[in-house]
């Protein structure tokens, strides 16, 4: 039996499109529903959190999750991916190096940020490698639902994935290229010189009327993204 977005504790953004803010690091995960498919966007920070999200997504969709898109390879977005057995896992082209050899690095980063060491070790041990990588603009057909446009870019990391769901309104899942609940985080894998350009592209894809879903925090509008773009350009000394 399916449930409503509200019953599941999710926020409905548009027809067949919703998102959920997770406790802990205030990460956002998204869900896009088609007639015969369900796309999950990011997977949470642990195997247990991923399992809860899978259960909620299946209740909302009335079927198993068929696709899982990972916006970038940081523990709080990918450590729950292992529970989505059978789903096609997608990530930005070039991110394979991190997934294939970065389990220990992700585990250490998770522990530094407060995740229980045993939980982090378990997730790192079964870290899922994407099955498909997005290099150029790609359209995912949702079997009667909205098309989803996938675009690889860089800024927050060297391999970020943005997902755009056209509609009324359009919805743009930004990953951590945009953050609302705090300043955007730029770790050692960030590419600051690319970040403002990535946000320009994101604005071009979504337009003025889109809902922009940040990796952390509340949904924002184009004006917020534009202001964050300008702040990042000033912060990093790029145009």
């Amino acid at each position: 039996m399916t449930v409503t977005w509200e019953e599941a504790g999710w926020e409905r953004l548009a027809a067949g499109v919703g998102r959920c803010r997770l406790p802990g690091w205030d990460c956002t995960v998204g869900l896009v529903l088609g007639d015969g498919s369900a796309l999950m966007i990011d997977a949470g920070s642990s195997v247990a959190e991923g399992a809860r999200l899978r259960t909620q997504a299946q209740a909302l969709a009335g079927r198993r999750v068929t696709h899982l898109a990972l916006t970038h390879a940081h523990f709080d977005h990918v450590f729950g991916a292992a529970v989505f057995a059978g789903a096609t896992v997608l990530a930005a082209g070039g991110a394979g190096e991190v997934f294939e050899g970065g389990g220990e690095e992700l585990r250490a980063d998770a522990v530094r940020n407060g995740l229980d060491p045993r939980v982090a070790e378990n997730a790192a041990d079964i870290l899922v490698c994407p099955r498909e990588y997005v290099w150029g603009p790609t359209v995912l057909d949702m079997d009667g639902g909205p098309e989803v446009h996938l675009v690889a870019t860089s800024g927050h990391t060297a391999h970020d994935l943005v997902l755009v769901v056209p509609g009324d309104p359009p919805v743009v899942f930004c990953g951590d290229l945009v953050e609302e609940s705090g300043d955007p985080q730029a770790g050692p894998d960030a590419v600051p010189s690319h970040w403002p350009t990535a946000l320009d592209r994101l604005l071009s894809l979504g337009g003025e009327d889109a809902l922009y879903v940040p990796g952390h925090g509340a949904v924002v509008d184009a004006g917020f993204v534009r202001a964050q773009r300008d702040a990042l350009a000033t912060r990093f000394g790029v145009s």
Side-chain angles (χ1 to χ4, degrees):
M1 178 183 295
T2 58
V3 300
T4 67
W5 296 102
E6 293 76 14
E7 288 170 340
W10 286 55
E11 179 183 357
R12 181 187 181 277
L13 302 176
V17 185
R19 69 101 182 218
C20 180
R21 288 171 73 168
L22 303 176
W25 291 273
D26 193 22
C27 285
T28 283
V29 295
L31 185 64
V32 183
L33 304 179
D35 291 342
S37 58
L39 165 67
M40 191 86 187
I41 301 166
D42 285 339
S45 60
S46 69
V47 175
E49 191 163 65
R52 289 194 297 273
L53 290 169
R54 180 190 62 191
T55 298
Q56 293 169 0
Q58 290 180 176
L60 285 161
R63 67 186 65 86
R64 296 180 69 177
V65 171
T66 57
H67 297 79
L68 171 64
L70 301 173
T71 61
H72 61 289
H74 283 167
F75 81 92
D76 48 338
H77 296 262
V78 306
F79 264 4
V83 305
F84 291 90
T88 298
V89 182
L90 305 104
E97 249 179 65
V98 181
F99 286 100
E100 291 164 16
E104 174 56 28
E105 183 178 338
L106 290 173
R107 182 205 61 78
D109 186 50
V111 172
R112 281 194 300 269
N113 280 278
L115 190 65
D116 181 283
R118 291 167 299 179
V119 173
E121 183 176 10
N122 181 41
D125 283 347
I126 56 175
L127 183 66
V128 165
C129 291
R131 188 183 303 176
E132 296 182 10
Y133 289 97
V134 177
W135 297 93
T138 301
V139 177
L140 184 62
D141 183 358
M142 293 300 295
D143 296 332
E147 288 185 339
V148 181
H149 297 253
L150 296 86
V151 179
T153 186
S154 59
H156 177 64
T157 73
H159 312 291
D160 295 310
L161 185 65
V162 172
L163 296 96
V164 182
V165 188
D168 185 17
V171 180
V172 183
F173 289 93
C174 308
D176 285 4
L177 288 165
V178 177
E179 296 193 37
E180 184 276 335
S181 55
D183 291 333
Q185 298 300 300
D189 56 347
V191 189
S193 61
H194 292 187
W195 207 328
T197 300
L199 294 188
D200 285 336
R201 188 176 187 193
L202 199 146
L203 286 163
S204 176
L205 290 166
E208 288 300 308
D209 298 327
L211 300 177
Y212 292 87
V213 184
H216 302 260
V219 175
V220 300
D221 60 14
F224 182 96
V225 176
R226 191 171 294 107
Q228 194 157 94
R229 179 252 183 245
D230 293 344
L232 287 166
T234 299
R235 174 178 166 186
F236 297 128
V238 297
S239 58

